[in-house]
Amino acid sequence: MKIVKKISEIKEIVSNFKKNKKEINLIPTMGNIHTGHLSLLSKANKFDGINIVSIFVNPTQFNDEDDFNNYPNTFEADMEILSKANCSIIFAPSRNQVYPDGIKSEKTVFKYRDILCDLYRLGHFDGVTTIVKILFNLIEPSKVFFGEKDFQQLKIIEQLIFQNNLKIHLIKCPSIRDADGMSFSSRYSTFSKDEKSKFKKCAQIINANLLKLKRDFNHKILDNIEKELRSYGISKIDYFEVRNEETLSLSVNNESSRLFIAFYINKVRVIDNFLLY
Ligand code: AMP
């Protein structure tokens, strides 16, 4: 496994792969590698090509300085895990390498915006599309792997590929969940013991109501989840909404729909989504 930190070096590697007609599978991450990330890599292993995992905590997608500063950095442990997971190359550039002209992002994707996380994390998706476009230009992957855990992000990347007419196949990977049914996330690695047990209780509340939503869809059930969470001490809830997974428009029934959730346990933002059909 090779660790590449310089843009010039990754360009040279990519150019050699291209000369040898080798395809590239790209798995973009922000590190703190967990089971969810590894599922993207094992999906990539099902296809021909060289796997490149990028690790870059992208400053332009953070709308909160504290969140950026507290984002877990576990590079050594990540290397250990990835070295055992059939990863050929880690691309882990510095901030200056990625943004030599200063940290800035551009709004280029307008579809699937002004809803869900876009309303609560202003500029976040501009940061996401900016970094993903930089990675696409540098690495020229034929396949790119993104998780359904960040479903709105997935749709926005799909649109980014479509509107730029890129010859990149987006492989959507299902959420990998813990025993309580919640998707793994790097952010949860900072939970204290107390926060962990709060998270578990929230998972129980959500799952009990998920069953009801699946059986007999009703908007009152959404209000109920929020009420139950608030009475349990969760005070910051961004959204609990049921949306169509193709259009991301609000649903009136379960058909092709998912429950999208975002709330906070103290400073940690929990986001997830659940199939309702
Ligand atoms: P992150 O490092 O959080 O930016 O995530 C990198 C990629 O891994 C994104 O495409 C995420 O959607 C995906 N991912 C994160 N957590 C999970 C999970 N629990 N299951 C599947 N994919 C995930």
Side-chain angles (χ1 to χ4, degrees):
M1 188 177 80
K2 197 172 171 56
I3 302 170
V4 178
K5 296 200 168 185
K6 291 241 158 32
I7 298 281
S8 53
E9 197 185 347
I10 197 76
K11 276 186 173 166
E12 200 184 316
I13 289 172
V14 166
S15 139
N16 283 332
F17 285 152
K18 298 275 150 185
K19 265 188 225 145
N20 293 316
K21 305 240 175 310
K22 285 222 161 37
E23 302 216 337
I24 299 176
N25 303 319
L26 172 65
I27 300 118
T29 81
M30 295 205 298
N32 191 251
I33 299 299
H34 54 65
T35 323
H37 297 121
L38 291 179
S39 74
L40 272 52
L41 191 53
S42 47
K43 186 87 173 185
N45 281 328
K46 294 196 164 56
F47 297 92
D48 285 341
I50 308 286
N51 297 332
I52 302 186
V53 171
S54 64
I55 296 186
F56 180 64
V57 183
N58 173 37
T60 61
Q61 71 187 72
F62 285 80
N63 56 324
D64 176 337
E65 208 178 327
D66 272 355
D67 187 24
F68 177 63
N69 292 331
N70 293 329
Y71 200 84
N73 177 345
T74 51
F75 193 73
E76 295 306 318
D78 291 352
M79 293 309 99
E80 177 84 29
I81 297 170
L82 288 168
S83 66
K84 294 176 189 146
N86 196 15
C87 176
S88 319
I89 295 170
I90 310 289
F91 179 49
S94 69
R95 251 198 270 184
N96 290 345
Q97 287 281 309
V98 175
Y99 295 109
D101 303 323
I103 310 264
K104 52 181 182 244
S105 60
E106 200 188 343
K107 184 165 185 166
T108 56
V109 175
F110 293 82
K111 204 171 172 185
Y112 310 118
R113 302 295 299 263
D114 303 318
I115 53 168
L116 300 171
C117 289
D118 199 31
L119 292 179
Y120 298 92
R121 300 191 67 195
L122 296 181
H124 165 68
F125 288 118
D126 300 333
V128 169
T129 49
T130 300
I131 184 64
V132 170
K133 192 76 199 321
I134 290 172
L135 291 172
F136 284 176
N137 288 342
L138 274 174
I139 293 175
E140 301 175 46
S142 25
K143 294 189 185 66
V144 66
F145 298 77
F146 277 90
E148 289 181 349
K149 157 153 194 302
D150 303 288
F151 204 86
Q152 189 176 13
Q153 168 174 281
L154 193 77
K155 297 297 292 180
I156 288 174
I157 300 300
E158 185 175 56
Q159 178 64 18
L160 177 78
I161 292 173
F162 172 75
Q163 71 187 36
N164 285 288
N165 219 352
L166 302 173
K167 288 192 179 57
I168 299 176
H169 189 181
L170 172 64
I171 311 283
K172 301 171 182 176
C173 304
S175 292
I176 305 298
R177 299 176 183 278
D178 64 17
D180 298 312
M182 303 297 278
S183 298
F184 291 106
S185 164
S186 303
R187 282 202 161 79
Y188 310 156
S189 68
T190 63
F191 276 153
S192 65
K193 207 171 157 216
D194 181 48
E195 288 169 337
K196 259 189 207 151
S197 68
K198 260 197 162 160
F199 184 57
K200 201 176 171 67
K201 177 71 189 164
C202 293
Q204 284 165 0
I205 295 174
I206 292 162
N207 277 303
N209 283 287
L210 261 183
L211 286 178
K212 292 184 198 161
L213 273 174
K214 281 184 186 169
R215 258 198 314 255
D216 175 24
F217 181 87
N218 183 334
H219 276 102
K220 277 192 195 135
I221 299 169
L222 298 178
D223 297 340
N224 212 27
I225 307 178
E226 290 203 23
K227 251 189 231 153
E228 276 189 61
L229 289 177
R230 284 191 200 282
S231 69
Y232 181 64
I234 301 298
S235 54
K236 195 164 177 215
I237 295 178
D238 284 350
Y239 55 78
F240 269 75
E241 291 178 353
V242 175
R243 290 182 176 265
N244 180 284
E245 61 179 3
E246 271 315 309
T247 60
L248 292 193
S249 57
L250 284 167
S251 298
V252 287
N253 56 39
N254 289 355
E255 229 170 87
S256 307
S257 294
R258 287 173 186 252
L259 168 67
F260 292 87
I261 68 164
F263 64 95
Y264 284 79
I265 295 185
N266 297 334
K267 286 190 161 177
V268 178
R269 191 167 190 264
V270 173
I271 76 158
D272 215 329
N273 65 86
F274 304 86
L275 273 177
L276 290 182
Y277 60 94

